[in-house]
Amino acid sequence: MKIDIITIFPDYFREAFAFGIIRRAVAADLVEIKAHDLRSWTSDKHHLVDDRPFGGGDGMVLKPEPIFAAVESLAGARRNRDLARGKRVVLLSPQGKQLSQVLAADFASCEQLVLICGRYEGVDERVAAALVSDEVSIGDYVLSGGEPAALVVIDAVIRLLPGALGSETSASTESFSDGLLDYPHYTRPPEFEGMNVPEVLLTGHHAEIARWRREAAMEKTKRNRPDLLK
Ligand code: 6GU
């Protein structure tokens, strides 16, 4: 898979992919990730990427021309309808549909993702309307820009690429893959400052351990995410 990030802060990503599962996936050529400076697709003397909003209001809006030029050069299309199969152009914005494990798995099946990092003040709406295949938010809170959201999308997608995880079973036994939160985990020591590891986990009785984990996952989901049970 190829992942291209369009951003006004390419340095933000300088060391973001140098750790853990993402670093291993890059080293194994499962994915190639590049952060591109939006300013390199400007054609004016001052390399302007934003301008004042029509109709008035606070803040600046990212201009359409450099973004359309960037997507054309990276993905070969200036309209979402002309995008090749297997390519997705994603605008990260608080107005997007919310990222989910299902959407991450959909993205993980693609050959190329182009991620456009918006600024919170806004992106000219013609980008969302005509250029991108998906407008995605990572949750109901405000970020200053799409850059941290792009990192979230990239992490969620890469760990689903075949071969990215050490143990192939890891991805399917986690939170959300079955609609529940993950069960609680414990390691040594068995007693820590008066807090004990649940006895059943120390017994080696696999059927009882599996039942305890199902019930503990259900309890945790009820307490922290009752919306997942509705
Ligand atoms: Cl993708 N961008 C911004 N600026 N804020 C967000 C977001 C994205 N997702 C949640 N909040």
Side-chain angles (χ1 to χ4, degrees):
M1 164 180 281
K2 177 93 192 295
I3 299 178
D4 292 292
I5 306 161
I6 300 169
T7 173
I8 60 172
F9 298 129
D11 290 347
Y12 178 91
F13 297 93
R14 194 188 291 282
E15 303 208 18
F17 310 119
F19 305 94
I21 286 167
I22 299 180
R23 184 190 59 75
R24 282 196 6 228
V26 170
D29 287 330
L30 301 181
V31 61
E32 180 185 358
I33 313 170
K34 286 187 179 153
H36 307 270
D37 190 344
L38 178 61
R39 284 184 204 284
S40 66
W41 283 283
T42 54
S43 45
D44 63 303
K45 186 170 70 174
H46 295 104
H47 302 288
L48 293 180
V49 292
D50 55 10
D51 205 340
R52 294 155 61 206
F54 279 125
D58 291 335
M60 300 288 272
V61 175
L62 289 183
K63 294 164 59 63
E65 303 96 317
I67 299 177
F68 275 71
V71 169
E72 179 172 33
S73 74
L74 294 170
R78 293 184 66 86
R79 293 291 186 273
N80 44 22
R81 61 170 181 270
D82 299 327
L83 208 53
R85 266 190 334 111
K87 299 185 184 220
R88 301 283 277 273
V89 176
V90 180
L91 174 63
L92 283 318
S93 106
Q95 283 74 47
K97 62 187 167 187
Q98 194 164 322
L99 182 64
S100 66
Q101 195 63 21
V102 168
L103 186 58
D106 182 14
F107 288 160
S109 73
C110 294
E111 72 177 40
Q112 185 186 20
L113 296 180
V114 176
L115 303 179
I116 303 167
C117 301
R119 300 312 300 163
Y120 94 98
E121 297 91 340
V123 178
D124 187 284
E125 187 63 18
R126 288 164 289 195
V127 170
L131 182 61
V132 310
S133 58
D134 304 84
E135 184 172 9
V136 172
S137 161
I138 62 165
D140 292 338
Y141 39 81
V142 179
L143 305 173
S144 314
E147 285 79 8
L151 288 185
V152 168
V153 170
I154 288 167
D155 191 292
V157 167
I158 287 182
R159 56 197 310 295
L160 294 176
L161 297 178
L165 298 185
S167 144
E168 295 296 328
T169 60
S170 303
S172 59
T173 64
E174 288 170 319
S175 292
F176 303 115
S177 53
D178 61 1
L180 291 184
L181 300 184
D182 200 2
Y183 56 77
H185 300 257
Y186 294 89
T187 186
R188 294 186 293 177
E191 188 249 295
F192 171 67
E193 297 186 357
M195 298 175 283
N196 294 304
V197 172
E199 194 66 36
V200 61
L201 300 180
L202 310 176
T203 62
H205 193 307
H206 298 300
E208 281 185 28
I209 289 171
R211 180 168 42 164
W212 180 88
R213 284 176 169 169
R214 273 195 305 277
E215 285 168 7
M218 182 60 72
E219 283 310 308
K220 188 123 185 161
T221 307
K222 271 184 200 153
R223 182 160 5 101
N224 285 350
R225 293 295 306 278
D227 56 296
L228 293 178
L229 298 171
K230 295 210 193 327

